Amino acid sequence: MDQPKLTTTSYAIRGLLAIRAWSTCELAQQVHVRMRRFWPRAESKLYEEPRKLAARGLAASEAGRVGKWQRTTYSVTPAGRDALARWLAEPGGPPSWCWWDASCRTSPT
């Protein structure tokens, strides 16, 4: 069975993950701070997306703890970085305000 097409949320989250690893809470905060004025999203979708990307092999997850709280951190995989770079190169791909563009075109650290 084919997997559903990736959404703009998928690409936005991968763009953030191309910068550094984040927890879902940190990702939601970043979207709120950086994009909420021109690209509002339901917070629940922002919390779901990293798990979906990990299930597709486009992100990796690492379980850990912060104090007594469990926390999962997500990072982009090489396949996720490649797919994001291909999307950025497509005609009509990223909008001109795509602030993560430069991060995705550089090699991983």
Side-chain angles (χ1 to χ4, degrees), residues 13 16-17 22-32 50 74:
I13 295 299
L16 286 168
L17 294 176
W22 307 89
S23 69
T24 52
C25 181
E26 291 170 324
L27 284 167
Q29 289 171 344
Q30 288 299 311
V31 170
H32 180 75
Y74 294 89

Side-chain angles (χ1 to χ4, degrees), residues 2-103:
D2 289 335
Q3 292 183 343
K5 187 176 178 179
L6 295 172
T7 65
T8 54
T9 303
S10 304
Y11 291 102
I13 295 299
R14 258 188 301 158
L16 286 168
L17 294 176
I19 296 169
R20 60 165 269 223
W22 307 89
S23 69
T24 52
C25 181
E26 291 170 324
L27 284 167
Q29 289 171 344
Q30 288 299 311
V31 170
H32 180 75
V33 168
R34 296 174 184 253
M35 297 182 245
R36 75 169 184 247
R37 294 183 187 197
F38 55 85
W39 192 69
R41 287 291 174 257
E43 198 166 303
S44 62
K45 295 296 179 193
L46 300 175
Y47 280 87
E48 293 170 3
E49 199 59 39
R51 286 187 293 273
K52 290 178 182 179
L53 292 171
R56 291 181 116 163
L58 301 173
S61 63
E62 184 178 331
R65 295 189 89 66
V66 175
K68 64 180 180 176
W69 304 103
Q70 198 168 16
R71 171 179 159 157
T72 303
T73 303
Y74 294 89
S75 58
V76 71
T77 61
R81 188 177 295 278
D82 291 345
L84 184 59
R86 281 191 307 276
W87 178 72
L88 288 168
E90 287 178 8
S96 60
W97 47 260
C98 186
W99 55 268
W100 62 77
D101 188 351
S103 300

